[in-house]
Amino acid sequence: VYTHESLGANNKYNNFDWRISTHRYLNILPLAHIFGRILNYILMNHGMSIYYLTDMQQFRQNAEKIQPTLLAVVPRLLEKTFSGIMAK
């Protein structure tokens, strides 16, 4: 069980050695997904730009436009991307 205290502790995790202001995170995970939520909290705390994908059919167009430097994905998206590449 994740408590409010443990979410806060994760948010204080400060082991990132990134130039945060230059990075862009494209969030495709639902906000109810605990990994996505924790990652959002951490990245917001560090000042990273976060973009939310609302339509999976628009993933490619949004990724090309935003050019994310960080992307947390689920295996199904990787499978669909790989299949699309192999079909070409």
Side-chain angles (χ1 to χ4, degrees):
V1 173
Y2 252 112
T3 64
H4 187 265
E5 182 179 2
S6 61
L7 286 173
N10 280 320
N11 197 21
K12 292 179 184 175
Y13 179 74
N14 194 11
N15 198 25
F16 294 107
D17 187 24
W18 299 340
R19 307 292 184 261
I20 296 294
S21 63
T22 63
H23 287 276
R24 293 167 305 282
Y25 168 53
L26 179 58
N27 183 7
I28 64 165
L29 298 173
L31 292 176
H33 194 289
I34 192 64
F35 177 69
R37 183 176 293 192
I38 290 172
L39 192 55
N40 275 320
Y41 291 157
I42 291 171
L43 298 178
M44 276 190 270
N45 188 47
H46 290 282
M48 184 180 282
S49 297
I50 301 174
Y51 300 84
Y52 295 93
L53 184 65
T54 57
D55 181 7
M56 284 303 294
Q57 301 300 321
Q58 298 294 316
F59 171 73
R60 182 176 177 189
Q61 294 84 348
N62 283 299
E64 287 174 355
K65 181 179 178 182
I66 296 166
Q67 297 182 346
T69 54
L70 180 63
L71 181 66
V73 299
V74 292
R76 181 66 185 133
L77 177 63
L78 297 176
E79 292 168 357
K80 288 180 76 173
T81 303
F82 179 76
S83 296
I85 292 169
M86 296 307 290
K88 292 183 178 182

